[in-house]
Amino acid sequence: MITFKKPDEIDRMKRAGKIVADILSAMKAMIRPGIDTMSLSDEADRILDKESAGASFRGYRVYGVRTSFPSAICVSINEEVVHGIPDRERILEEGDIVSIDVGAIVNGYHGDAACTYAVGEISEERARLLSVTYRALHIGMEQVIPGRTIGDIGHAIEEWVLGNGCGLVREYSGHGIGKKLHEAPQVPNYGSPRSGVTLKPGMTFCIEPMVMNGRERVKSLENGWTIVTCDKSDAAHFEHALLVNEDGAEILTPWE
Ligand code: MF3
Ligand code: CO
């Protein structure tokens, strides 16, 4: 069921979204060659604590995975697409790309956003992947107008990504968000124009293109969580939580 948010609910979602954005800014400032990924997670926890916010992802369960997600953030490096687990032994290296995904809950409402960062100087190929994926998010957001559909969003993203010679992760989607981290509707990064749910003011959902430089095949690692590309090509991930307004998308997670 799609829930339409009232003004007081939107206020809470903005508070959660602001904390998510603040955490992403802190991550951006910390990311450099030599830092371990658990230190990033520790800082995220520190900010959540300070803001008296909860971690949306910690304890999250998905069907078919034995363990719940252990951390407040996902840290996914290079060929890791999403859901990488912070690790004291995992050190960022010059030239890596690292996707950070953050969720926060405030007064019962969630915020959720992701961004992929360069670690030091990166290759032209990796820089291009980041810009194609970032643009994919914004091309999707441009479709967020009352009267357009979920299929319009997916179609625009798919055309852009494939047109640039990249691949899309199709197993995971954007999603409605609110009292639950994942609500209806699903927001796939592919689709047909004028298909699916029609957008209306008061809807809140995340758009989150996950894009790879190679074949469209992914698998999970032994830990059950980390999703990687099968051909080890690089992947990037950008996400915003959005509110549908009368005239377009309002960003609830202002990390840019
Ligand atoms: N942004 C991701 C999503 O919306 C984060 C989920 S991570 C998990 O699916 F740990 F909560 F699964
Ligand atoms: Co999400």
Side-chain angles (χ1 to χ4, degrees), residues 112 175 182 206 208 239:
D112 177 13
H175 49 91
H182 294 139
C206 294
E208 50 179 315
E239 175 179 21

Side-chain angles (χ1 to χ4, degrees), residues 27-113:
M27 300 294 106
K28 183 179 182 186
M30 286 177 83
I31 286 169
R32 58 180 160 74
I35 193 165
D36 71 273
T37 61
M38 188 62 89
S39 297
L40 299 172
S41 179
D42 290 344
E43 178 63 10
D45 278 323
R46 206 190 56 75
I47 297 170
L48 288 167
D49 268 3
K50 185 183 69 170
E51 302 288 346
S52 308
S56 306
F57 301 168
R58 182 175 281 113
Y60 196 85
R61 288 190 165 274
V62 296
Y63 183 78
V65 183
R66 288 189 323 279
T67 55
S68 66
F69 195 78
S71 305
I73 63 172
C74 306
V75 185
S76 311
I77 305 169
N78 298 338
E79 79 278 6
E80 298 171 356
V81 186
V82 287
H83 303 170
I85 298 174
D87 180 349
R88 193 69 68 201
E89 307 295 314
R90 190 75 195 271
I91 313 290
L92 297 182
E93 291 174 17
E94 176 87 21
D96 284 344
I97 52 173
V98 58
S99 303
I100 309 282
D101 195 340
V102 186
I105 174 164
V106 177
N107 288 327
Y109 288 80
H110 291 275
D112 177 13

